[in-house]
Amino acid sequence: MPENSPDTILRLTGLTKTYPGGLTAMDNVDLEIRKGEIFALLGPNGAGKTTLIGAVCGLVTPTSGTIKVFGEDIRNNWRGARARIGLVPQELSTDMFEKVIRSVSYSRGLFGLSPDKARIEEVLRSLSLWDKRDEQIRALSGGMKRRVLIAKAMAHEPDLLFLDEPTAGVDVELRKDMWRLIGQMRERGTTIILTTHYIEEAEEMADRVGIIRQGKILMVDDKDAMIQRLGTTEAVIELAKPMSALPPAIAHFPITLEKDGKELCYRGGDGSGKGRAEVAELTKALVRADIDYIGIDIRESSLEDIFVGLVENHADETTGEAA
């Protein structure tokens, strides 16, 4: 993407953060975020996700590298850039004794914006908080408190919004409700970067996905392209009679005998449907060879499978440790 492309809202180049004790939380990170997209940054705990967000939001000082937001080096106009960035932190850090509406209104004023009752009401209504506006935050449920954090981040009408583990600690029903809200924010033109360890969350919402481990970006790609390129098909065929070895008629397929010869396990394809076609050919070969089977279970690899595989493979290549 060209250096001055209007589609690039955030560009990180060689971003590194090494703490005095020697811990490198970000290691030469290059990343571009496109205007209007939902980008999911996936990684295990301690991978560097929150450090990356902190660097862009001015909470962490990078050791080296550059951050360009809205086409300008953030060091040249930090306050102006930060006024266009919203942050929903992972921790529920807010004044628990303050009323909802006062807390959200105060957040708008922190960025030098004049009071706007209509805007505050719009934000609170969109998050189903209007009826709770005069309640103290401490009286709200955990899910509602997280909505207050989003409202505070949205009060100053940011162009770029960071959501750090936005659904951590909330139940499945509320999580899906939050997904809808995030989709609505994007429809209003907000670019969203979310960190999550709920892979389902990234599959549901993200346009593109980045995978980070030990401060390094392992991969960035469109979600569907990543699944197609790295995905595989797995099929378990339950045989009517156990086999002691693979007969020549099917030995050329990517299959193994498992469960004491009671199951044939196929692993192949590329996420594009090739695997299912090959499984169909395998079943025809079984019929031609008079090999009876009584059941077949086929599944395509998910984004979670790809994520786990990448993280584990990277661990083997670097430290040899499990992810």
Side-chain angles (χ1 to χ4, degrees), residues 147 167 170-180:
R147 287 173 187 243
T167 61
V170 303
D171 59 39
V172 174
E173 183 177 353
L174 182 53
R175 188 178 304 150
K176 291 183 177 180
D177 193 22
M178 296 281 277
W179 294 351
R180 287 193 292 271

Side-chain angles (χ1 to χ4, degrees), residues 87-234:
L87 169 62
V88 180
Q90 186 176 151
E91 300 298 327
L92 293 173
S93 52
T94 189
D95 186 350
M96 293 297 173
F97 291 91
E98 186 63 271
K99 291 183 179 181
V100 170
I101 194 166
R102 286 180 57 85
S103 180
V104 176
S105 299
Y106 179 71
S107 290
R108 180 178 174 85
L110 284 176
F111 292 93
L113 298 180
S114 59
D116 188 337
K117 292 182 179 180
R119 170 62 181 171
I120 299 303
E121 180 176 347
E122 177 190 5
V123 170
L124 293 179
R125 286 190 183 277
S126 71
L127 292 163
S128 300
L129 286 169
W130 184 245
D131 291 342
K132 307 285 187 181
R133 63 188 181 277
D134 292 322
E135 292 190 24
Q136 290 184 340
I137 295 172
R138 67 189 180 99
L140 303 179
S141 66
M144 284 295 178
K145 287 174 183 172
R146 195 160 295 280
R147 287 173 187 243
V148 172
L149 291 179
I150 294 177
K152 286 164 66 70
M154 292 297 295
H156 67 287
E157 305 172 53
D159 296 307
L160 175 62
L161 178 65
F162 284 97
L163 301 170
D164 195 5
E165 300 283 357
T167 61
V170 303
D171 59 39
V172 174
E173 183 177 353
L174 182 53
R175 188 178 304 150
K176 291 183 177 180
D177 193 22
M178 296 281 277
W179 294 351
R180 287 193 292 271
L181 292 171
I182 292 169
Q184 290 169 8
M185 293 176 204
R186 195 260 292 274
E187 289 174 3
R188 289 196 287 266
T190 306
T191 302
I192 297 168
I193 303 174
L194 66 91
T195 71
T196 182
H197 60 268
Y198 294 118
I199 313 300
E200 181 189 5
E201 197 156 74
E203 282 192 298
E204 176 70 21
M205 293 187 302
D207 303 303
R208 289 195 304 145
V209 173
I211 297 176
I212 186 171
R213 185 184 187 276
Q214 294 183 339
K216 292 179 178 289
I217 298 288
L218 304 184
M219 175 174 288
V220 174
D221 207 343
D222 290 343
K223 174 185 62 181
D224 294 337
M226 185 180 291
I227 292 174
Q228 181 170 333
R229 182 155 53 91
L230 299 178
T232 57
T233 300
E234 293 186 4

